Amino acid sequence: MTIGRHSTLELDPALDDYQLASALVREAGQLALLMRMAGLQSQQKTSISDVVTAADHAAEAYVLEQLQRCRPEDGILGEEGASVAGTSGRTWVIDPVDGTYNFLHGSTYWCSAIALRDTSDVLLGAIFQPEEDKLWLGGTARAATLNGVALTTYHGPAAVPDGGARNATALAELGAATYIHPTWLMDPLCAMPWHAAATSAAALRMFGSGSCDLGRVADGQLGCWFQHSCPEWDWLPGKAIVRAAGGATDTVRINGLDWFMAGGATAVRELRAALESGSVA
């Protein structure tokens, strides 16, 4: 199959769901990278930092076509508009380029991500960061891996560096990744919970790709993560992988906004308490 000038693989329907998810994010990410190398223009969506490129659309179109051929009974939901009602009760959630602002400006901190969910919960997630050749994978039926190597961030003896003790590490001892658009900082209903959580961590990082962040929470490079108002494609791939790594995830509604958290069990519990301290109710 060809999309524009870029050749992409036709995937085998016999692949299991994890193999298929891995292949889809790898191919979508490589396609987007090739298109960026060839030159891209962007269009603004909701703000100057919320942009979309032809690579986003082409990568999503590729994933959509492959899923319709390989999993014709499943539903599909994509950030750039893909919407297919399935009959199986399962839905693939696609983020063809997460971190498009980074992608467009030459940063390596962007990825392609996909999740599979049923009517009750997320089943698996896959995240591929092309320029760093990192592929995180995990779900309810498979422990989390990075490039095929098992992640032990939240498992194993406490004596092992970054081992099981990470689940008990306090928020005050960890770096937190987050994202908040500057305009939201002008809204006290959002700014107060965010400020309470941000100032509870040992350090703060804001890189601009939630899925890249969550992959690093799963593998231990980042201590924890929190963000408000995440659509499914920004949350479910990483949620599945963090949980498959033995970490914790949570959501809470505060001042009319949904907040999403991931990390060790103690850090997530303390993030929730910090966010709730910013409630006006």
Side-chain angles (χ1 to χ4, degrees):
M1 181 183 69
T2 300
I3 298 176
R5 300 185 299 276
H6 306 287
S7 178
T8 48
L9 288 178
E10 189 169 272
L11 301 179
D12 184 353
L15 294 172
D16 69 32
D17 289 334
Y18 288 87
Q19 292 169 329
L20 180 60
S22 298
L24 285 169
V25 292
R26 187 174 290 277
E27 288 298 309
Q30 290 173 340
L31 170 61
L33 180 58
L34 285 170
M35 292 185 68
R36 189 184 73 179
M37 292 169 63
L40 285 172
Q41 293 184 332
S42 67
Q43 293 179 325
Q44 184 173 313
K45 293 200 288 188
T46 62
S47 70
I48 194 169
S49 61
D50 182 16
V51 292
V52 64
T53 71
D56 296 75
H57 291 297
E60 183 164 297
Y62 167 75
V63 175
L64 174 64
E65 182 174 330
Q66 296 303 304
L67 284 173
Q68 287 184 302
R69 189 175 54 81
C70 293
R71 298 293 189 271
E73 296 180 354
D74 290 351
I76 303 168
L77 175 67
E79 179 181 12
E80 305 310 334
S83 181
V84 175
T87 59
S88 67
R90 309 191 326 163
T91 300
W92 295 85
V93 181
I94 309 164
D95 195 345
V97 177
D98 179 48
T100 301
Y101 188 82
N102 291 348
F103 169 76
L104 185 64
H105 290 83
S107 169
T108 65
Y109 207 82
W110 62 276
C111 64
S112 291
I114 195 167
L116 175 63
R117 62 165 170 79
D118 62 14
T119 56
S120 61
D121 206 351
V122 62
L123 303 176
L124 68 83
I127 298 167
F128 179 56
Q129 191 175 349
E131 294 184 84
E132 305 219 357
D133 193 29
K134 291 185 175 184
L135 197 156
W136 295 269
L137 180 68
T140 56
R142 188 173 300 185
T145 57
L146 171 57
N147 292 346
V149 178
L151 298 178
T152 59
T153 310
Y154 304 97
H155 295 295
V160 176
D162 286 334
R166 180 61 77 95
N167 256 320
T169 304
L171 175 59
E173 300 176 29
L174 294 171
T178 186
Y179 177 77
I180 186 168
H181 193 274
T183 57
W184 282 104
L185 287 173
M186 296 185 289
D187 182 352
L189 296 180
C190 180
M192 288 190 298
W194 184 87
H195 183 269
T199 56
S200 297
L204 203 61
R205 299 290 183 266
M206 194 179 302
F207 297 119
S209 169
S211 286
C212 286
D213 289 346
L214 287 163
R216 284 167 172 79
V217 171
D219 69 29
Q221 289 188 53
L222 291 171
C224 58
W225 172 93
F226 68 99
Q227 188 173 323
H228 76 86
S229 306
C230 293
E232 288 186 276
W233 45 79
D234 283 339
W235 170 236
L236 293 183
K239 176 185 178 182
I241 295 166
V242 170
R243 293 199 319 194
T249 62
D250 197 7
T251 59
V252 63
R253 190 164 183 83
I254 301 167
N255 301 339
L257 293 173
D258 292 319
W259 291 86
F260 301 77
M261 297 153 277
T266 298
V268 167
R269 184 173 63 250
E270 293 176 349
L271 274 172
R272 181 183 180 120
L275 290 165
E276 289 176 331
S277 74
S279 172
V280 298

